[in-house]
Amino acid sequence: MPRGGKKSHKGQTRRFANPEEIERQMRMQEKESPESDQDSSSEEEEEECKKKSPVERLIEIDNPNRTPQKKKASEVDVNTAPIELSRREREEMEKQRAKERYDKLHREGKTDQAKNDLARLAIIKKQREEAAKKRDEVRKEKEVGNRARLTPLGTED
């Protein structure tokens, strides 16, 4: 005998109930119950049982793990109740709103990073302006030098 004292049924032949025996037991149960009021209700119950699957007949309680049937988009009423979001969805939406708010402030130049960037840009603009002035001066000196070379020494304009 296996450990635990329980006998295994593996390898044994299967035993099925005889259909005639099942019918006989059902007739016995019907005779025992009063048929007057329950006839009409039993017919309704039979119709309901035919509509439901075997599992649904056994379990008619609220099962929190059972997923509800999905509705079609045309059947859903948008104006009924506010949508309950999960924690992840809520956090994702808050993160997105914060990013949009930061981007808006950044475009307006109100964030620290934007202020630093604008200061850097101002410095770069100054440097470029100074470099442009120097280039202009150098170009003017070259032009003056070129004119001096091109004109003969004794003649002036």
Side-chain angles (χ1 to χ4, degrees), residues 6-154:
K6 294 186 180 181
K7 186 176 179 184
S8 172
H9 297 288
K10 287 188 176 182
Q12 294 182 357
T13 57
R14 294 182 179 174
R15 297 181 188 144
F16 297 101
N18 189 358
E20 297 161 356
E21 181 68 24
I22 294 172
E23 288 178 22
R24 188 174 56 79
Q25 288 176 357
M26 290 180 70
R27 279 189 226 124
M28 295 284 281
Q29 287 178 352
E30 288 176 7
K31 288 180 185 175
E32 290 175 2
S33 63
E35 297 177 4
S36 59
D37 290 339
Q38 291 187 356
D39 259 349
S40 61
S41 65
S42 65
E43 290 175 6
E44 292 172 3
E45 289 176 10
E46 287 177 13
E47 289 176 16
E48 289 178 16
C49 289
K50 288 179 184 176
K51 293 178 185 176
K52 295 180 180 178
S53 69
V55 175
E56 288 178 339
R57 279 185 247 143
L58 294 174
I59 302 173
E60 292 186 5
I61 58 172
D62 287 334
N63 185 351
N65 295 327
R66 184 173 178 218
T67 57
Q69 292 179 350
K70 295 182 179 179
K71 295 182 179 181
K72 294 180 181 176
S74 60
E75 296 175 358
V76 176
D77 187 17
V78 179
N79 300 328
T80 55
I83 299 171
E84 294 292 325
L85 299 175
S86 68
R87 179 185 55 83
R88 265 193 200 142
E89 291 171 338
R90 227 179 308 118
E91 288 176 354
E92 186 67 30
M93 288 181 71
E94 289 173 6
K95 189 186 289 185
Q96 188 176 6
R97 286 186 196 131
K99 186 177 184 334
E100 290 172 359
R101 197 176 320 117
Y102 180 81
D103 288 343
K104 181 182 175 188
L105 291 173
H106 190 77
R107 275 183 258 122
E108 293 173 358
K110 294 181 180 178
T111 61
D112 292 336
Q113 185 178 1
K115 290 175 183 176
N116 292 339
D117 290 345
L118 291 173
R120 242 183 277 127
L121 284 173
I123 292 170
I124 291 171
K125 282 182 182 178
K126 273 187 182 179
Q127 290 174 350
R128 288 182 180 171
E129 286 175 5
E130 291 172 2
K133 285 180 185 177
K134 287 182 182 178
R135 272 185 266 131
D136 287 340
E137 290 174 8
V138 169
R139 189 177 315 128
K140 286 179 183 177
E141 288 177 7
K142 283 185 181 178
E143 286 178 9
V144 170
N146 285 340
R147 284 186 192 163
R149 271 191 269 149
L150 293 175
T151 57
L153 287 177

